[in-house]
Amino acid sequence: MDPVIIVGAGPVGLTLALALARQEVPCVVLDEGPGKDEPRAARTVVLREDTAALMERLTGMPLGRAGAHWAGWRSMRRKQVMREVVFDDTEPAPLHIAQHVLTGALRAALADERLVKVAVDSRLDGLEQEPSGVTAHTRGPKGTWWRGSYLVGCDGPRSTVRKIQDIRFPGRTAVERHAVAALRTELPWRDEALLHRSPPWRMSGPSAGEVTARPLPDGVWRLDWLLPPGKDLVTPELLLTRIRETLAGWAGGTTPPYELLDTGVHTVHHRLARRWRADRVFLAGDAAHLLGALGTHGLDEGLRDADNLAWKLALAWHHGPHEALLDSYQTERRAVVAARLRAADQALPLLRGGGGLRAVVPGSSRGHDALLTEGHLGHGQLGAPGVYADSPLAPRPLEGEVPVDTPLGAPVTDVRVTAEDGTFVRLRDRLGRGALLVVLIAPGTGVWERKHWVGAGIMPQLAAAVTALPHHAELLVAESYPGAGAHTVLLVRPDGHLVTALSGVRPADLYAAAEATVGGPVKAQAAAGASAGSR
């Protein structure tokens, strides 16, 4: 079968290629550039804990060393500390990392991947579809036709794939603008990120009265100043003045020594593609959506696109056309991103303007700062990861279903589990392999060798039920899971979202949930797809 063609070699395209290769699907990545990225210290991304874990799992690198897991978060208004957050096991820190460092880690991992070919200096200029596959043409001195089974456009805001497929990309332009600087210095809040609203010193030039400081490794900080609406030019001289005023304000009046590494102006757009799938062509990342009103979370959603799509494409590639499963990519991901855009479009004008604040957050400016803080940290309506509660892959209500602390369709909590070979691993380490995960909650098993309990109690019955499932599944055992009682059985998707929680071993319920998760009977849909293709 032909490989999957991925157009675009940014973090989303490279992540998708690695994720597919881990599931034995060959890929061709069309990179319009030379195969390396220009270092930009001021172009950084913030990844939520589970997205950072996805990146570490795919690259095999501890990215916390290349980026920064913050020690805490501080929100201030004028001179008053409004909120402080200390990151620990109960409140994991997000990962802040330079985008070129993340892309470099992905490229390094792909260099050793036999199933992925990266074609540099290959700019897409033509695309044709037929029932059995897609053909893409790249221009240049060595213009080439590429044959693929599917094609995914990860080629950014000006996506050629989206334009060729004539997919509309409506939305709002310049929702917010931020002046950005990366510099090496010492701030009073060591290793803590800071949101400072209405700082007590006077800012030169246009200012909306908000600055954010986020630490990176080696004493480097990214500073963002929210700019007022309009198109006022941010000159180098004005930005240098803004840096000195801000550092002096935090240091009590005297500007500390600093080394300026990079600057820029970050403009936020809000756009959402009408369709994310056109037969065998898909969109992901900035080609499908633009968001990130708080400056750094847009890529996180793009990586979730890749994680959602990879296991579905892999199943279709190995087992034949599976339309309900492939359609669910657009249904799930577009709904999540649309909800986030709606929340930002409704809340941010009121939060920034202040006058209509009570329409969103009852109370004083403290509630205002709390909502912004939650957005920055990946919580609340502006930042929490998406839940696929209304997914077409969700099973019908099951008789044996029980509640746990994770809502159905939400990412599972990472807990220690015992794998089938008896080793202790993290639950997230078993994701991304294309298999469903069946997790039995069995308190006390951690103190015994696997051979003593694998054939006892309900284990043989559960193992038999797992073997009979309509899709490959891995059986894991955990001593505990938040909100789950003993003998609860969890079914988890390959991308880490909870399908159902059952009270005990219920083979019929487990089978029905697994079948719904893969979009219905695979063989029946594959046969239907083959029949349609022959007509």
Side-chain angles (χ1 to χ4, degrees), residues 74-412:
R74 184 182 300 238
S75 175
M76 296 184 66
R77 189 175 184 86
R78 298 195 63 80
K79 296 182 179 181
Q80 182 181 3
V81 176
M82 306 295 289
R83 184 176 178 185
E84 289 187 273
V85 176
V86 177
F87 296 116
D88 54 24
D89 291 340
T90 60
E91 178 70 30
L95 174 68
H96 186 209
I97 187 169
Q99 184 165 315
H100 72 270
V101 173
L102 178 62
T103 306
L106 290 164
R107 288 190 184 276
L110 281 171
D112 298 325
E113 185 48 70
R114 60 180 177 82
L115 290 176
V116 179
K117 173 182 175 61
V118 179
V120 300
D121 299 317
S122 298
R123 182 176 178 82
L124 181 78
D125 67 354
L127 170 61
E128 297 177 0
Q129 287 202 66
E130 55 191 74
S132 60
V134 295
T135 305
H137 185 264
T138 51
R139 71 187 186 193
K142 298 180 180 179
T144 306
W145 287 97
W146 303 86
R147 180 66 180 175
S149 54
Y150 298 94
L151 183 144
V152 186
C154 304
D155 49 343
R158 297 179 176 86
S159 171
T160 302
V161 174
R162 190 184 64 241
K163 293 173 183 176
I164 290 175
Q165 292 300 309
D166 195 24
I167 297 174
R168 292 186 60 203
F169 198 40
R172 298 172 57 209
T173 299
V175 176
E176 288 187 352
R177 288 196 312 151
H178 299 257
V180 183
L183 48 89
R184 183 176 284 108
T185 189
E186 290 189 14
L187 297 183
W189 305 278
R190 183 177 179 84
D191 298 328
E192 289 185 3
L194 169 72
L195 169 66
H196 199 164
R197 306 194 72 249
S198 302
W201 59 88
R202 187 173 183 270
M203 289 279 195
S204 298
S207 173
E210 181 176 310
V211 57
T212 307
R214 303 177 179 93
L216 287 159
D218 303 322
V220 176
W221 293 79
R222 168 174 165 166
L223 272 58
D224 290 58
W225 293 268
L226 176 67
L227 299 173
K231 298 181 180 180
D232 298 289
L233 183 65
V234 181
T235 64
E237 294 76 15
L238 179 61
L239 187 53
L240 287 173
T241 301
R242 184 71 57 82
I243 291 171
R244 290 193 290 267
E245 289 173 343
T246 301
L247 295 182
W250 285 336
T254 302
T255 303
Y258 70 92
E259 177 188 1
L260 184 59
L261 305 176
D262 191 19
T263 63
V265 174
H266 173 60
T267 303
V268 176
H269 308 290
H270 283 177
R271 295 189 179 277
L272 185 65
R274 292 290 192 193
R275 294 179 293 142
W276 291 27
R277 181 189 182 193
D279 298 323
R280 289 179 174 266
V281 174
F282 300 81
L283 301 177
D286 286 352
H289 52 77
L290 293 177
L291 70 163
L294 301 180
T296 52
H297 281 293
L299 178 60
D300 189 279
E301 292 294 352
L303 298 176
R304 290 176 188 273
D305 295 344
D307 196 27
N308 183 290
L309 182 57
W311 70 274
K312 298 172 182 179
L313 272 183
L315 192 149
W317 193 91
H318 286 294
H319 299 284
H322 204 46
E323 300 308 311
L325 184 66
L326 295 177
D327 283 343
S328 72
Y329 164 67
Q330 172 179 301
T331 304
E332 291 178 345
R333 292 299 306 151
R334 192 177 186 280
V336 164
V337 175
R340 190 175 304 289
L341 287 172
R342 282 195 301 272
D345 285 343
Q346 292 169 5
L348 287 177
L350 298 173
L351 294 176
R352 300 306 192 198
L357 176 61
R358 287 180 174 81
V360 179
V361 183
S364 66
S365 59
R366 186 175 296 275
H368 179 181
D369 293 318
L371 184 61
L372 284 174
T373 291
E374 286 186 344
H376 279 288
L377 300 185
H379 304 301
Q381 61 175 308
L382 295 180
V387 175
Y388 306 143
D390 298 324
S391 167
L393 304 182
R396 57 174 172 74
L398 302 169
E399 182 180 349
E401 205 161 62
V402 293
V404 295
D405 286 357
T406 301
L408 298 182
V412 292

